[in-house]
Amino acid sequence: MAQLDIRVLGRKATEDRVASYVDSFLARAAASPRTEVRKKFLLLSTPRTGSNWLAHELRSEGELGHPYEWFSPVYITSVLGRLGRPFDRGHYIDLVLRGSTTPNGVFGLKAQLDQVLRMDREQHFDLLELGFDAVIWLERRDVVAQAYSYVRSLKSNVFSRYTEQERKVEELGNPHMVVETSAVLNAAAQLTQWREIFETRFRSGTGLCLSYEDIMAHGIDSTVSRLRQLLGLPPARRSSSTRDYEKQARPEDAQRIAEIHTYLAGAGPVPV
């Protein structure tokens, strides 16, 4: 199957997953008057750091807000399409606040750094103006592995394995997908640039820095407990983890990533 077909299928799978979030989001926003917001947090990251998994676990607690990427273009398009109205910043922010706050007054939002930069550039809106009590930064120390994963997702437009539709698209694309070393290095440069922007513009206001590697080493429950403490809640989880982490990597990807590391260290040829 041609790569273009896979990207179209992947895009549709992503849009359908987001649409399923919008239904419950609008229902929460319409169900009751706005809950008093006592704590606001932002889960900020770059792509392929495990942020979808972590956000899912935070939502499952029932008292850590409903952190979704409501300021991502695909989310905004889905919400506005359902409402049948153009983007109005004040109305949209009010909707996000009402639909993303749990009954205990905790508001949670998830965003990729490039989404924050895009909102500032295109809508002249600094997301940090929402006045977060805590910003949590999630990164991946192995930028080559992160870049490799990012390229794979860009080639398929599949960024999670939450739905059967997404898993099927990935299975169709995997046998035909070639991840070029040059594409990985370009992606690594972009990820590094975003990390530099974080260090210069956002680090000083960040309350907690996490890494993908630490979550994998110590477990998701430990990470959620740290976030609960940061927000002034008892550290013990209300429930144990609701889903296992599903890696999108193929068995052969680890070898390719190792070969790229070797090449960058000057100890091997460029992987082709």
Side-chain angles (χ1 to χ4, degrees), residues 13-252:
T14 297
E15 290 172 346
D16 288 349
R17 172 170 54 83
V18 171
S20 72
Y21 298 156
V22 171
D23 291 335
S24 55
F25 165 70
L26 293 177
R28 286 193 302 271
S32 62
R34 183 192 296 178
T35 301
E36 180 185 359
V37 179
R38 301 178 183 276
K39 290 279 187 179
K40 297 178 183 177
F41 77 89
L42 171 65
L43 177 59
L44 182 64
S45 66
T46 52
R48 318 312 298 155
T49 57
S51 61
N52 280 332
W53 179 38
L54 177 55
H56 174 88
E57 293 299 327
L58 297 179
R59 294 190 297 267
S60 74
E61 289 291 276
E63 54 186 11
L64 291 174
H66 300 277
Y68 288 98
E69 296 178 10
W70 295 119
F71 289 92
S72 162
V74 66
Y75 280 71
I76 292 174
T77 298
S78 187
V79 172
L80 298 182
R82 195 67 56 85
L83 295 176
R85 61 178 296 165
F87 181 79
D88 175 87
R89 184 165 74 183
H91 175 266
Y92 194 81
I93 290 173
D94 179 70
L95 197 65
V96 171
L97 286 169
R98 287 189 286 119
S100 303
T101 303
T102 40
N104 64 335
V106 175
F107 167 77
L109 184 67
K110 178 181 183 295
Q112 302 285 359
L113 183 57
D114 63 298
Q115 296 163 10
V116 176
L117 300 175
R118 183 184 296 110
M119 287 298 297
D120 195 8
R121 182 175 64 251
E122 297 180 0
Q123 300 294 336
H124 308 292
F125 171 50
D126 181 355
L127 206 58
L128 295 186
E129 291 177 10
L130 291 178
F132 295 101
D133 298 285
V135 176
I136 299 125
W137 170 248
L138 180 57
E139 65 183 13
R140 192 163 177 171
R141 290 195 291 267
D142 187 343
V143 71
V144 172
Q146 182 184 3
Y148 192 100
S149 178
Y150 188 34
V151 171
R152 287 194 67 241
S153 291
L154 291 173
K155 283 177 173 285
S156 66
N157 268 333
V158 174
F159 290 86
S160 85
R161 290 178 54 85
Y162 281 5
T163 68
E164 183 179 357
Q165 188 180 3
E166 289 170 314
R167 291 191 291 271
K168 285 183 176 179
V169 173
E170 192 170 69
E171 289 168 4
L172 284 171
N174 275 344
H176 310 279
M177 185 177 293
V178 177
V179 179
E180 303 88 351
T181 298
S182 58
V184 173
L185 297 184
N186 285 335
Q190 177 64 82
L191 293 167
T192 300
Q193 182 184 50
W194 285 333
R195 192 174 297 183
E196 288 175 340
I197 292 172
F198 166 75
E199 294 292 343
T200 57
R201 292 179 52 181
F202 299 95
R203 168 71 78 173
S204 62
T206 300
L208 180 64
C209 294
L210 303 169
S211 77
Y212 166 89
E213 288 84 357
D214 287 341
I215 293 176
M216 296 302 292
H218 303 298
I220 193 70
D221 290 341
S222 172
T223 303
V224 173
S225 293
R226 292 181 67 187
L227 269 62
R228 290 180 60 87
Q229 286 182 290
L230 181 68
L231 296 170
L233 297 171
R237 288 201 63 172
R238 296 185 69 185
S239 60
S240 57
S241 57
T242 58
R243 61 178 290 135
D244 293 330
Y245 179 68
E246 290 191 62
K247 291 186 177 181
Q248 290 179 252
R250 304 167 296 180
E252 62 267 30

